[in-house]
Amino acid sequence: MHNEELGFNSQAVHAGKFDDALGSAISPIYQTSTFSFDNADHGAKCFSGEVKGYIYTRIGNPTINELEQAVAKLENGFGGIAVSSGMAAVNTVYLAYLGQGKHVVAHNALYGPSRAILESLYVRFGVESTFVDATNTENVAKAIRPNTSLIYLETPANPTMGITDIKEVAVLAQKHGITVCVDNTFCSPYLQKPLDLGADIVLHSMTKFINGHADIVAGMLVTKTKEHYDKLRPVMVGMGCNMDPHQAWLTRRGLKTLGIRIDRAQENAIKVANFLENHRKVEWVLYPGLASHPQFELAKKQMKGPGAMISFGLHGGLDAGKRMMDNVQLALLAVSLGGIETLIQHPASMTHSKLSAEAKRLGGITDGLVRLSVGIEDVEDIIADLDQALTKV
Ligand code: LCS
């Protein structure tokens, strides 16, 4: 069967596999820093690009390349650039598209450090940033300036679950010649394909759903075109934020089960979200699968499913939330997300603690917000655990 015709799960299992002389079912790990040349001329030709060949692992490696090809295939992109972490992916994009006198428009609720580095680090190099509620495209339109070079979105956003209309923003950006990057970490390509909706770059913390086993920190960029790929790849190579082959091999292994893991976690999350919404101690729940979500209709249109991330608040705010988090037994009180295990955390004091009080207020990251990443355990056990923790509140 021609590879182009395969479905998502078949691609997740097979895409990018390279031929190995022994016919191994799983590709070997090329755990090497460097590759020898046949002779001096061959080496020179590899460097000039006249001959295709591996040179040095920071520049390229077969194990890393397999993962890049697989994720690019699942995102319907031109090519993938694997990096050492999600934040390495964020920095690669910022360095490639921002600089002295350039301006970025970003959603006002992003993973904390994705916003914080613009305000603390990139500002030192003359980068201007404007944060808006991008769930309303009008706000993005109003923020665009002549020097805007990048629109940076996260949808659903961490941790407010706000959903941006990728297609609308992409049409707007195209009119102005602005590059659009979408952090697709909360969905993975299984639930959302930003490049098909008009984005130029997709970004992943593969630490989350793509690897899915809480044993790797990793990142990926996928571009729609060769032009964007050629702009980003040298930044990664120059910064030296490449993956390690073993890290790539483990991530490729995790990717094989992405679809079935999300199916299961999402099925659990729908039940957990309903349980929370109907619990008398819960004041509000934000989950794209609930009709109460402000962008419920957009979520249905743009995402294949509502995913496994839920934010909620209790009557009694922060104190009540802390008491609940201190009393979970099955769920882990831990940051990160998208793994096989259920995790609970408090963004205002943990993942988003580096943001100013004003940034948190404008982004909707309230003290009472508790974030849940629903895992693949038996849903009865997850709900029983949350229920017993809520009785202590
Ligand atoms: N983008 C999003 C949406 C994220 O949630 C994270 C990490 C990153 C990028 C950065 O990826 P990393 O470098 O960690 O691989 N989010 C985390 C979170 O919510 N809790 O702990 C990490």
Side-chain angles (χ1 to χ4, degrees), residues 170-181:
V171 168
L172 171 73
Q174 246 162 26
K175 271 192 223 146
H176 295 267
I178 301 168
T179 299
V180 176
C181 175

Side-chain angles (χ1 to χ4, degrees), residues 153-273:
L153 305 173
E154 216 180 87
T155 179
N158 183 358
T160 59
M161 305 306 296
I163 295 172
T164 298
D165 192 323
I166 298 171
K167 211 179 223 171
E168 255 183 34
V169 173
V171 168
L172 171 73
Q174 246 162 26
K175 271 192 223 146
H176 295 267
I178 301 168
T179 299
V180 176
C181 175
V182 176
D183 184 331
N184 201 23
T185 298
F186 269 35
C187 279
S188 91
Y190 188 58
L191 295 180
Q192 178 170 273
K193 295 201 198 298
L195 300 181
D196 289 355
L197 297 167
D200 301 296
I201 305 163
V202 173
L203 183 151
H204 284 285
S205 166
M206 298 196 295
T207 315
K208 315 295 162 23
F209 288 101
I210 289 184
N211 177 60
H213 291 74
D215 49 11
I216 283 291
V217 171
M220 180 70 80
L221 295 168
V222 179
T223 68
K224 187 153 66 184
T225 62
K226 181 175 184 307
E227 187 195 345
H228 288 292
Y229 181 88
D230 288 345
K231 193 158 171 157
L232 287 161
R233 184 136 202 126
V235 177
M236 179 281 282
V237 172
M239 269 210 294
C241 58
N242 59 286
M243 270 196 151
D244 175 80
H246 189 240
Q247 181 190 18
W249 187 87
L250 279 170
T251 310
R252 182 69 192 87
R253 181 170 73 167
L255 175 65
K256 288 174 192 274
T257 55
L258 175 64
I260 57 168
R261 281 186 287 103
I262 291 199
D263 279 343
R264 167 63 176 234
Q266 178 173 262
E267 193 184 310
N268 286 352
I270 291 166
K271 291 179 182 159
V272 170

